[in-house]
Amino acid sequence: MNIEIKNVLSEIEYVEFIGNISDDISNITSLDAKQFPEKSLLWCNDKNLHKLTNLDNCTIIVSEQAKKLNLKKNCNYIVVENPRRAFQKILTVFFRKVIPPKISVTATIHKTTQIGINVFIGENVVIEENCSIGDNCFINHNTVILSDTIIGNNVIIGSNCTVGGAGFGYEKNEIGEFELIPHIGNVHLYDNVEIGNNTCIDRAVLGSTILKKNVKVDNLVHIAHGVIVGENSVVIANSMIGGSTVIGDNVWVSPSASLLNKIVIENNSLIGMSANVIKNVAEYEVVAGNPAKVIKLISHETK
């Protein structure tokens, strides 16, 4: 694949182009690669600008800080405000593999479930009764969507996930044995939610477990019954969100964090890696440790 640089520039907002606009790009390469094929496209953050001296005949996405270096004449430089964001846009437009919509013949879908247009449903997917799947959704192989689940538009769900299973809610009976409390609620995934592989999202006892617009959930995450995750929040691998916890908007939950049930994580806060959160977290707080404690506040200007 050869992509003309002028076509790349037409898809992004850039500050300046330095080099030969008639060149083209034939592949994508990491800045940490051992070899750099000619006509490669790379991106570089300000911390790694020293690595640019190793490159030849490449096109590099950089910030204006790179202009302080002795730039090589046989390389091209796309100067932007956010190199990683520009790189993401180029990958999406020119290099992303597009899987056409289809419903696999091995999928089992209840007749009462409604499915929108341009939907991909992979091998051995099970979708139970009274579910609703919006337009442009992608549900990968071996995932199970249990009854009454509502899924908005442009939702991506990875492989081997379970959405809408009963939560771990028990009460002791008269002789002291645990009995499951019936979970008669559901799960509601709003538009543009993305869920990785091997993740479980439990239905509520009453009402809904809710992931609001543009929530991103990584692999191997457990979200318990009745949890609410606010818009544009991120929950990363191996995290566990306890039942009825409320997470606000623009919250970052780092890998392997555990959040106690029925706590509130307010907007724009950050939960550190492996944090054991047992009490509420206020807006703009960064918490870490076991038990988690406030270690700093996020500057409002960064949000």
Side-chain angles (χ1 to χ4, degrees):
M1 176 188 294
N2 289 339
I3 303 167
E4 295 182 0
I5 288 178
K6 64 181 179 181
N7 292 335
V8 170
L9 296 177
S10 70
E11 294 291 341
I12 62 172
E13 295 183 5
Y14 65 98
V15 176
E16 184 179 357
F17 175 77
I18 303 170
N20 183 2
I21 201 168
S22 298
D23 281 350
D24 53 31
I25 295 165
S26 59
N27 57 75
I28 298 285
T29 307
S30 168
L31 190 62
D32 295 322
K34 294 181 179 179
Q35 294 182 338
F36 302 96
E38 290 188 1
K39 298 186 177 183
S40 292
L41 175 71
L42 311 92
W43 76 279
C44 181
N45 61 26
D46 292 346
K47 294 180 180 179
N48 291 314
L49 290 176
H50 62 280
K51 296 183 179 181
L52 298 185
T53 58
N54 300 324
L55 304 181
D56 287 297
N57 299 311
C58 296
T59 297
I60 311 122
I61 306 169
V62 294
S63 77
E64 292 195 83
Q65 291 296 317
K67 294 167 63 177
K68 299 177 182 179
L69 306 175
N70 292 321
L71 301 181
K72 291 191 172 184
K73 293 183 179 180
N74 63 349
C75 286
N76 301 310
Y77 301 88
I78 302 174
V79 182
V80 298
E81 290 186 1
N82 185 333
R84 190 167 187 254
R85 169 60 181 158
F87 184 71
Q88 181 268 339
K89 181 70 178 293
I90 293 168
L91 281 182
T92 300
V93 173
F94 294 102
F95 292 92
R96 181 177 62 173
K97 181 180 179 181
V98 178
I99 300 176
K102 75 166 188 177
I103 298 177
S104 171
V105 295
T106 62
T108 301
I109 303 172
H110 197 274
K111 62 182 180 181
T112 59
T113 281
Q114 298 180 349
I115 298 177
I117 61 173
N118 299 321
V119 172
F120 176 92
I121 297 177
E123 304 291 341
N124 303 311
V125 168
V126 176
I127 304 178
E128 290 190 339
E129 66 271 16
N130 300 319
C131 293
S132 175
I133 314 293
D135 298 338
N136 307 309
C137 290
F138 182 96
I139 302 172
N140 218 348
H141 313 305
N142 302 310
T143 280
V144 177
I145 311 294
L146 290 126
S147 61
D148 303 312
T149 297
I150 301 171
I151 296 176
N153 300 320
N154 308 306
V155 171
I156 297 173
I157 302 176
S159 298
N160 305 307
C161 296
T162 301
V163 178
F168 195 79
Y170 289 85
E171 186 61 39
K172 287 184 177 180
N173 61 19
E174 295 82 0
I175 60 174
E177 294 177 337
F178 285 106
E179 291 184 348
L180 181 67
I181 299 171
H183 289 62
I184 61 174
N186 72 341
V187 172
H188 188 169
L189 309 180
Y190 282 65
D191 293 352
N192 303 312
V193 166
E194 297 183 16
I195 298 167
N197 304 311
N198 299 294
T199 284
C200 293
I201 301 174
D202 292 342
R203 68 174 59 238
V205 175
L206 302 171
S208 298
T209 300
I210 295 172
L211 275 61
K212 294 186 178 180
K213 185 177 179 181
N214 207 49
V215 166
K216 312 301 182 188
V217 179
D218 199 0
N219 303 329
L220 298 164
V221 169
H222 175 69
I223 296 178
H225 50 220
V227 167
I228 298 174
V229 183
E231 292 186 6
N232 207 47
S233 289
V234 175
V235 183
I236 308 179
N238 297 313
S239 294
M240 191 288 297
I241 314 299
S244 301
T245 285
V246 177
I247 296 175
D249 300 340
N250 298 304
V251 172
W252 184 281
V253 180
S254 297
S256 299
S258 295
L259 278 59
L260 185 68
N261 61 307
K262 298 184 179 180
I263 60 174
V264 176
I265 312 298
E266 294 189 16
N267 299 341
N268 304 305
S269 55
L270 189 152
I271 310 301
M273 184 177 291
S274 301
N276 186 17
V277 185
I278 60 174
K279 62 181 182 180
N280 296 345
V281 176
E283 190 170 14
Y284 294 107
E285 286 185 342
V286 177
V287 301
N290 182 12
K293 297 180 180 178
V294 178
I295 60 173
K296 66 177 182 179
L297 296 178
I298 300 171
S299 171
H300 294 201
E301 287 74 20
T302 65
K303 284 290 184 178

